[in-house]
Structures are given as C-alpha cells and as structure tokens.
Amino acid sequence: MSKNRKFYIGGFIVSLFLAGVVSFYASSSPDGLEKVAGDIGFIETAKDHTYADGVLADYGVKGIENERASVGVAGVIGVIGTAVIAGVFFKIIARKPEKTKR
Amino acid sequence: MHIPDGFIDVPTSAAFVGLSAIGVGAALKGARTQLDDKTAPLAGLTAVFIFAVQMLNFPVVAGTSGHLIGAALAAVLVGPWAATLALTVVLLMQAFLFADGGLTALGLSVFNMSIISVWVGYAVFLLIKKILPKNKSSVAIAASIAAAISVPAAAFGFWIQYVIGATGTFSDSAVFTSMIGIHVLIGIGEAIITGLTVTAVLASRSDLVFGWKNNQKVLEIKNV
C-alpha cells in the first residue's frame, strides 16, 4: 500500500506544483480557438462569461495584486477542488453493489 | 478550446447539451464496468493532473498558444468511459469556478473534448497499439499519436457546431482551415505531454494503466 500512497501523493504534488508555480510562466497569447476567432472575426460574437467577475475568474484570485501569487493560489485551489470533487465522484462510481461482487 | 458564450446560437448549444448528456450518461454506466476500488483513485488523479496541465499554455506559432486537452491521455490511463467523466469534471470546474468556457456553451465543449476527443483518441490508440510490438514503449507511442489526432478531432467538432449554428456570418471553409491547421500544431504539444506522462505512469504503476492492462490480458490468454 505504501507504494500506492507514494504514487498518488507524488502525482498530487506534481499537479500542485504545475498549477501553483509553473502556471505563472504559461503563455498568455490567445489559444487556438481565440486566435482563429480573432483572425476571422467571429470573436466579436463572444459574450462575457456569466461569472466574469467571480472571485477566481480567469485563474486569478480577486484581491491578490501580485500576479504570481494570484495565479498560483487559483491553481492550488483548482487542484484541491478537483481532487475533492473527482475523488469523491469516482469513488462513488467505482462502488460495486455487494450482489454483483464475485 | 473552451468555447465562450455567443459563438454558437442557443438552439444549437441546447441540442449539444442533450447530446453531451447522452454521452456522459453512457459514460456513467460504462465507467462502472471499467473502474474498481483500485483504479478509481487514478481516475481522480487524472482529472487533477489534466486541470493542472490545462493551465499551462505553451506557445505554438507567433501570437498563439495551446494547452493540453488530456482526452487521449485520460483514455489510455483510465479507459474511455472514465476519461469522458474526468474531462467533464474538469470542464465543469473551469466553467463554474474559473469563468473559463461559457456556461451556455458547456454542452458544446463537453461534446468536443469529453466525447469526440476521448473516443477518437482511444480508437487511434487501439489501432496503433495493434500494429506495434506489445511493450510499454508501444503504449506510450500509440498514446502520443492518439493525442496528436485527438486535438484536431475536437477542433473538427467545433467546426461542425460552427457550421450548424454560428451567430457570425464568416466563411465556414476559412474557419475549417484555420481551426484544423492551428490544432494540428497544438496536437504536437499534446502528443509530447501525453507520451511523457504515459511513460512516467507506466514506469511507476503500470498495473493501474488501462491501456496496458488490456495488453497483458491478451498476452495471458495467448500464453495459456
């Protein structure tokens, strides 16, 4: 079991590091779809996001001025949030009713 | 390739909510057969890793970036059903928490990335794996090629949606050429990240990898 634990803790820490630290160095150029929309012109048809003023909108924490900290904290919150939600969700999915257990 | 609100009209967006609901519903059923207590945590970690790596936009050509979708990666690691669910969880998190990807466009984005990209990626993976020798490097190579194709496949999905229900009046063929062209390039990054990740997981916990386990089952049967 300890090997199992090591693997999952390792994977989680790598994810935290990527979202919390490396994300600051990500390219801020428009992504493929945005770029195409801009070049061709249909970017004008985009509407503002419903939660554009949300606390974590665009992977930054509202109120944290330092950009590195803002994106880093947003990333960490996202990783922990995804871990909790996906963890519980897949645990429920994988649960086998006693009857069908062979 | 998170679609903002407004690009695609409401009826088309609504229709794709329906289609995506059918696909995700099927995945909920299918994942029960492919996941067990042992592999469920890997499905969770896959979603976490994809969320993290999707934050890492890499430069593609001047003034354009791309990031991992992770559909082929997830399909190889945890099977296509659980992959559809993992991608959907990530897309929901991004739309509701991080304002990334419009809420009315969620059906469109889920269809392209959680369904088309996953299943095209998985089909390509199986095909390539079949013609390569049965070893771990083949699984990583097959995963990379699957990843490379899964990205333009998602872009193709967007194009279909654009043709059906674009609110703008720009040429369909121009959108096709640009979308596929740029996403073939982004697919190269997808292939590299997918290949490295699959290699790393195979090196430490190959017993958990869906795309490798199936391989071994075939071998076991042959040996008997």
Side-chain angles (χ1 to χ4, degrees), chain B residues 62-107:
Chain B
T64 312
S65 73
H67 65 69
L68 181 86
I69 295 177
L73 172 66
V76 172
L77 290 182
V78 295
W81 295 120
T84 290
L85 299 180
L87 263 293
T88 305
V89 168
V90 171
L91 290 171
L92 290 172
M93 291 284 296
Q94 291 167 330
F96 284 96
L97 234 54
F98 298 95
D100 187 14
L103 299 189
T104 64
L106 256 176

Side-chain angles (χ1 to χ4, degrees), chain B residues 8-9 13 31-32 36 43 50 59 78 87 91 149 182 216:
Chain B
I8 309 295
D9 65 21
S13 302
R32 285 182 196 277
D36 53 34
I50 289 173
V78 295
L87 263 293
L91 290 171
I149 295 173
I182 197 93
Q216 284 184 311

Side-chain angles (χ1 to χ4, degrees), chain A residues 2-97:
Chain A
S2 95
K3 193 185 168 197
N4 212 17
R5 238 207 163 107
K6 227 188 253 171
F7 173 76
Y8 285 112
I9 292 173
F12 185 71
I13 289 173
V14 168
S15 303
L16 274 180
F17 178 72
L18 293 175
V21 179
V22 182
S23 58
F24 176 73
Y25 300 96
S27 164
S28 52
S29 297
D31 74 359
L33 174 59
E34 268 178 272
K35 170 75 175 158
V36 169
D39 286 351
I40 292 179
F42 64 91
I43 193 86
E44 290 161 23
T45 63
K47 291 182 184 148
D48 280 342
H49 198 283
T50 318
Y51 300 138
D53 297 323
V55 187
L56 294 171
D58 288 322
Y59 304 92
V61 183
K62 226 179 188 174
I64 300 184
E65 294 300 321
N66 182 302
E67 214 176 303
R68 188 188 290 267
S70 184
V71 64
V73 172
V76 167
I77 292 172
V79 162
I80 294 172
T82 308
V84 170
I85 290 172
V88 171
F89 174 66
F90 281 113
K91 205 178 163 121
I92 294 169
I93 296 284
R95 191 182 289 156
K96 300 274 188 296

